[in-house]
Protein backbone atom coordinates (compact mmCIF):
# COMPACT_ATOMS: atom_id res chain seq x y z
CA UNK A 1 0.00 0.00 0.00
CA UNK A 2 2.87 2.38 0.84
CA UNK A 3 4.50 1.87 -2.54
CA UNK A 4 1.21 2.42 -4.36
CA UNK A 5 0.50 5.59 -2.36
CA UNK A 6 3.90 7.20 -2.82
CA UNK A 7 4.47 6.18 -6.44
CA UNK A 8 1.04 7.59 -7.33
CA UNK A 9 1.73 10.70 -5.28
CA UNK A 10 5.06 11.41 -6.96
CA UNK A 11 4.10 10.48 -10.50
CA UNK A 12 0.79 12.30 -10.66
CA UNK A 13 2.05 15.17 -8.51
CA UNK A 14 4.69 15.88 -11.13
CA UNK A 15 2.86 15.14 -14.37
CA UNK A 16 -0.37 16.90 -13.46
CA UNK A 17 1.43 20.07 -12.42
CA UNK A 18 4.20 20.07 -15.06
CA UNK A 19 2.36 22.50 -17.38
CA UNK A 20 1.86 24.95 -14.51
CA UNK A 21 5.50 24.60 -13.46
CA UNK A 22 6.59 25.46 -16.97
CA UNK A 23 4.17 28.39 -17.18
CA UNK A 24 5.69 29.81 -13.98
CA UNK A 25 9.11 29.59 -15.64
CA UNK A 26 7.75 31.52 -18.62
CA UNK A 27 7.61 28.50 -20.93
CA UNK A 28 4.44 28.14 -22.99
CA UNK A 29 3.66 24.91 -24.80
CA UNK A 30 2.88 25.85 -28.40
CA UNK A 31 1.82 22.34 -29.33
CA UNK A 32 0.02 20.78 -26.39
CA UNK A 33 -1.35 17.81 -28.32
CA UNK A 34 1.99 16.91 -29.87
CA UNK A 35 3.70 17.22 -26.49
CA UNK A 36 1.14 14.95 -24.82
CA UNK A 37 1.42 12.45 -27.66
CA UNK A 38 5.22 12.32 -27.33
CA UNK A 39 5.06 11.90 -23.56
CA UNK A 40 2.54 9.07 -23.97
CA UNK A 41 4.68 7.52 -26.72
CA UNK A 42 7.64 7.42 -24.34
CA UNK A 43 5.82 4.61 -22.53
CA UNK A 44 6.58 2.23 -25.40
CA UNK A 45 10.37 2.03 -24.96
CA UNK A 46 9.83 2.05 -21.19
CA UNK A 47 7.47 -0.92 -21.45
CA UNK A 48 9.88 -2.84 -23.68
CA UNK A 49 12.84 -2.06 -21.42
CA UNK A 50 10.96 -3.10 -18.29
CA UNK A 51 9.93 -6.42 -19.88
CA UNK A 52 13.55 -7.09 -20.76
CA UNK A 53 14.87 -5.97 -17.36
CA UNK A 54 12.46 -8.26 -15.53
CA UNK A 55 14.07 -11.19 -17.34
CA UNK A 56 17.62 -9.95 -16.75
CA UNK A 57 17.65 -8.56 -13.20
CA UNK A 58 14.29 -9.74 -11.83
CA UNK A 59 11.07 -8.07 -10.83
CA UNK A 60 12.10 -6.57 -7.53
CA UNK A 61 15.25 -4.93 -8.90
CA UNK A 62 13.43 -3.67 -11.98
CA UNK A 63 10.89 -2.03 -9.68
CA UNK A 64 13.59 -0.44 -7.52
CA UNK A 65 15.73 0.62 -10.48
CA UNK A 66 12.79 2.12 -12.42
CA UNK A 67 11.63 4.17 -9.48
CA UNK A 68 15.17 5.15 -8.53
CA UNK A 69 16.14 6.49 -11.94
CA UNK A 70 12.72 8.15 -12.36
CA UNK A 71 13.31 9.91 -9.05
CA UNK A 72 16.72 11.13 -10.18
CA UNK A 73 15.38 12.19 -13.59
CA UNK A 74 13.17 14.79 -11.89
CA UNK A 75 16.33 16.84 -11.35
CA UNK A 76 16.29 17.62 -15.08
CA UNK A 77 13.20 19.78 -14.59
CA UNK A 78 15.33 22.28 -12.70
CA UNK A 79 17.28 22.99 -15.90
CA UNK A 80 14.41 23.14 -18.41
CA UNK A 81 14.41 26.38 -20.39
CA UNK A 82 12.05 25.74 -23.30
CA UNK A 83 9.10 23.64 -24.41
CA UNK A 84 11.12 20.89 -26.08
CA UNK A 85 13.45 20.47 -23.12
CA UNK A 86 10.33 20.14 -20.97
CA UNK A 87 8.88 17.51 -23.31
CA UNK A 88 12.21 15.63 -23.33
CA UNK A 89 12.37 15.68 -19.52
CA UNK A 90 8.75 14.50 -19.26
CA UNK A 91 9.40 11.74 -21.83
CA UNK A 92 12.45 10.57 -19.92
CA UNK A 93 10.60 10.59 -16.60
CA UNK A 94 7.57 8.83 -18.05
CA UNK A 95 9.62 6.25 -19.95
CA UNK A 96 11.67 5.44 -16.86
CA UNK A 97 8.80 5.34 -14.38
CA UNK A 98 6.52 3.11 -16.48
CA UNK A 99 8.74 0.13 -15.62
CA UNK A 100 7.97 0.68 -11.96
CA UNK A 101 4.25 0.76 -12.67
CA UNK A 102 4.42 -2.42 -14.76
CA UNK A 103 6.30 -4.40 -12.16
CA UNK A 104 4.24 -3.02 -9.28
CA UNK A 105 1.08 -4.30 -10.96
CA UNK A 106 2.58 -7.76 -11.48
CA UNK A 107 4.05 -8.06 -7.99
CA UNK A 108 0.86 -6.79 -6.37
CA UNK A 109 -1.33 -9.25 -8.24
CA UNK A 110 0.99 -12.15 -7.46
CA UNK A 111 1.10 -11.30 -3.76
CA UNK A 112 -2.51 -12.38 -3.18
CA UNK A 113 -4.36 -15.67 -3.61
CA UNK A 114 -6.69 -15.84 -6.57
CA UNK A 115 -9.91 -15.68 -4.56
CA UNK A 116 -9.07 -12.25 -3.07
CA UNK A 117 -6.80 -10.88 -5.80
CA UNK A 118 -9.28 -8.50 -7.42
CA UNK A 119 -10.37 -7.11 -4.04
CA UNK A 120 -6.75 -6.64 -2.97
CA UNK A 121 -5.89 -4.88 -6.23
CA UNK A 122 -8.89 -2.62 -5.72
CA UNK A 123 -7.74 -1.72 -2.21
CA UNK A 124 -4.19 -1.04 -3.43
CA UNK A 125 -5.52 1.05 -6.30
CA UNK A 126 -7.65 3.03 -3.84
CA UNK A 127 -4.53 3.67 -1.76
CA UNK A 128 -2.84 4.95 -4.89
CA UNK A 129 -5.80 7.20 -5.65
CA UNK A 130 -5.50 8.67 -2.16
CA UNK A 131 -1.90 9.45 -3.01
CA UNK A 132 -3.08 11.23 -6.15
CA UNK A 133 -5.57 13.30 -4.17
CA UNK A 134 -2.94 14.35 -1.66
CA UNK A 135 -0.42 15.04 -4.44
CA UNK A 136 -2.84 17.27 -6.29
CA UNK A 137 -3.62 19.33 -3.21
CA UNK A 138 -0.08 19.52 -1.83
CA UNK A 139 1.57 20.21 -5.19
CA UNK A 140 -1.05 22.85 -5.95
CA UNK A 141 -0.30 24.57 -2.68
CA UNK A 142 3.47 24.30 -3.13
CA UNK A 143 3.44 25.58 -6.69
CA UNK A 144 2.07 28.87 -5.41
CA UNK A 145 4.75 29.19 -2.75
CA UNK A 146 7.91 27.76 -4.30
CA UNK A 147 7.85 25.78 -7.55
CA UNK A 148 11.11 23.90 -6.95
CA UNK A 149 9.59 22.45 -3.80
CA UNK A 150 7.05 20.64 -5.97
CA UNK A 151 9.92 18.79 -7.64
CA UNK A 152 11.58 17.98 -4.33
CA UNK A 153 8.39 16.72 -2.66
CA UNK A 154 7.34 14.55 -5.62
CA UNK A 155 10.85 13.22 -6.09
CA UNK A 156 10.98 12.38 -2.38
CA UNK A 157 7.62 10.57 -2.67
CA UNK A 158 8.99 8.40 -5.48
CA UNK A 159 12.13 7.80 -3.42
CA UNK A 160 9.93 6.61 -0.52
CA UNK A 161 8.15 4.26 -2.93
CA UNK A 162 11.52 3.00 -4.12
CA UNK A 163 12.73 2.39 -0.57
CA UNK A 164 9.38 0.86 0.41
CA UNK A 165 9.55 -1.67 -2.37
Amino acid sequence: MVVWFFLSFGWYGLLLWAPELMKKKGIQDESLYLSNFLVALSNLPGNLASAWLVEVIGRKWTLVASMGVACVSIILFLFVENTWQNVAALCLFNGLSVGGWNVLDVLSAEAFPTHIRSTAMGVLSAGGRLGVIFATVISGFLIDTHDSLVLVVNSFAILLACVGS
Side-chain angles (χ1 to χ4, degrees):
M1 180 72 82
V2 171
V3 177
W4 276 83
F5 180 89
F6 284 114
L7 183 57
S8 296
F9 185 107
W11 194 81
Y12 283 99
L14 177 65
L15 286 181
L16 291 177
W17 288 98
E20 187 66 26
L21 280 169
M22 296 309 108
K23 193 184 302 181
K24 288 185 76 86
K25 289 177 101 174
I27 301 169
Q28 294 291 0
D29 192 351
E30 302 88 24
S31 179
L32 183 63
Y33 295 113
L34 178 60
S35 298
N36 285 337
F37 174 73
L38 293 174
V39 172
L41 191 63
S42 69
N43 280 326
L44 182 59
N47 282 323
L48 296 173
S50 67
W52 177 74
L53 282 171
V54 163
E55 296 300 322
V56 174
I57 63 174
R59 292 179 180 143
K60 175 108 171 140
W61 289 111
T62 301
L63 177 62
V64 171
S66 294
M67 286 190 274
V69 293
C71 177
V72 171
S73 75
I74 293 175
I75 294 168
L76 293 176
F77 287 94
L78 295 172
F79 305 104
V80 167
E81 295 178 2
N82 61 49
T83 300
W84 295 109
Q85 288 176 353
N86 179 48
V87 170
L90 285 170
C91 286
L92 183 65
F93 172 75
N94 208 32
L96 293 170
S97 63
V98 73
W101 285 109
N102 292 343
V103 177
L104 183 61
D105 284 339
V106 170
L107 288 175
S108 297
E110 289 179 345
F112 299 98
T114 306
H115 67 283
I116 63 165
R117 186 170 293 158
S118 62
T119 302
M121 290 298 290
V123 169
L124 291 172
S125 181
R129 295 299 176 220
L130 285 174
V132 173
I133 292 168
F134 282 109
T136 304
V137 172
I138 291 170
S139 294
F141 172 75
L142 291 175
I143 208 163
D144 287 334
T145 58
H146 198 271
D147 12 334
S148 296
L149 212 48
V150 173
L151 300 173
V152 171
V153 167
N154 289 303
S155 181
F156 186 68
I158 294 174
L159 179 64
L160 289 175
C162 181
V163 170
S165 65

